[in-house]
Amino acid sequence: SESAYDAEFDVENLLASGGITGASVGTLTGQLDQEVVDIRVETIDNVSTIVYQRDSSGLFTYSGASIPYDTGFLGTINIVGDLEVDFDLVEVIRASDLGQISIDMTLNVDLESISGTAALLYSRIDLADISIDTDYSPPKEIYDFPMNVGEIWDAETTTSTTWSGDVYDNLFELPEDSSEPSTERHEVVGSGDPGVAYSGCSNSYNVTAYNASSGNIYGYRWWCENAQNDAWWHQSIDVGADIDFRLNQYNPVARTHDISVDLAFPAWPL
């Protein structure tokens, strides 16, 4: 299947985490394109499992961002330009229940079309190139079908996350790699119309994920049965970015069935 999402990317907390004050950056917007690119069998936790791979990509922009920067010899100047985030996502999902096996995210953050005094020093700045690879063992059960409002379930899994990449002038620090068991609680907190552009999701379910011990919310998803996908996905990344994807287009793709039959022994006419 193929889907398209209206995307919003909020980086205000990301800049604040690097000690940057006085920045003027609104929410970046764009479109995320998503496609199921493969269905295959993998061995997951020593079990032969049918999985599918879903790839997503998008470019999110905000024109006229202003970020203060201490140049040293010139003092602090405001660097004004267009902030861009090139976003890629690769997910491996268990087909039987949509349990999340892995999710690999890549963010390339650039400041383009720099104007004013700063243009004498920079034409563009590569602010960050970040890769975040996360594996779940056993796969994380995000949904528990069939769903009804008020249902609660716990997903016990070991989450292993690897961070890599480069950040311009220590703008912010990447978290340390980690691998730890956790219990993520999921609750169907409501149902109805999530207010997305795609018209077939008026009866969706809001599944909110939070820490079973502290109650801290990780994010939420509105599941749309008609699209067999999320109508709205909100999540926060540890570096301080908040992302919202709202469904605007869904194109189901018919499956092609190729069946090959081989005979174990040749058949001879009698």
Side-chain angles (χ1 to χ4, degrees), residues 231-243:
W232 181 1
W233 179 21
H234 171 86
Q235 73 165 131
S236 297
I237 306 175
D238 284 349
V239 290
D242 294 321
I243 306 175

Side-chain angles (χ1 to χ4, degrees), residues 42-53:
E42 289 190 3
T43 300
I44 306 298
D45 294 332
N46 298 317
V47 176
S48 184
T49 305
I50 298 175
V51 307
Y52 66 85
Q53 178 179 322

